[in-house]
Amino acid sequence: MQQTYSNPKNRSQKDTCIFTTVNATALPRLEALCAAWLPGGRRHGAEYLALNPTREDRYIGSFSINVITGRWADFATQDRGGDPVSLYAYLSGLTQIEAAHKLAKEMGVAA
């Protein structure tokens, strides 16, 4: 089933602020975050390629994260998102607001 992890339009101003802050903090660190979240992956140009831990994935290549823009996709399932928070939510099985708060805490960002 295809899922898109993007920024919902019905966020409160406070929620929008945490997403903006956490994504801005995480994006420059995204390659290191990907290495921690997706061990065994590799960088290929602007993309971090890894096995998708949310499914039985046997070959690196169909799950890709652009470490410059934060956009990511699993081309085998069509799951995709546009920022580090959505990626963390997807990988962790969290809602995006839960992921934003948890990632903020892990990175030491005031939320």
Side-chain angles (χ1 to χ4, degrees):
M1 175 166 75
Q2 176 182 347
Q3 294 185 32
T4 300
Y5 292 78
S6 61
N7 297 332
K9 295 182 191 318
N10 59 349
R11 286 188 184 146
S12 72
Q13 190 169 4
K14 183 179 177 185
D15 287 350
T16 299
C17 183
I18 188 174
F19 282 98
T20 301
T21 302
V22 172
N23 279 320
T25 304
L27 192 57
R29 306 177 190 178
L30 191 54
E31 184 174 359
L33 291 170
C34 285
W37 299 338
L38 302 161
R42 68 176 185 269
R43 178 89 182 251
H44 182 73
E47 304 292 319
Y48 187 86
L49 307 174
L51 296 175
N52 184 339
T54 69
R55 65 177 176 83
E56 291 237 359
D57 193 358
R58 292 179 280 158
Y59 304 103
I60 290 179
S62 64
F63 189 55
S64 175
I65 302 97
N66 185 302
V67 296
I68 307 300
T69 66
R71 295 182 60 86
W72 60 271
D74 184 328
F75 299 104
T77 64
Q78 303 307 308
D79 291 334
R80 61 189 65 238
D83 55 53
V85 169
S86 67
L87 175 62
Y88 190 69
Y90 175 76
L91 294 173
S92 303
L94 301 170
T95 66
Q96 288 198 47
I97 193 66
E98 291 169 336
H101 283 284
K102 187 171 180 185
L103 191 53
K105 186 175 180 179
E106 289 179 11
M107 292 190 309
V109 174

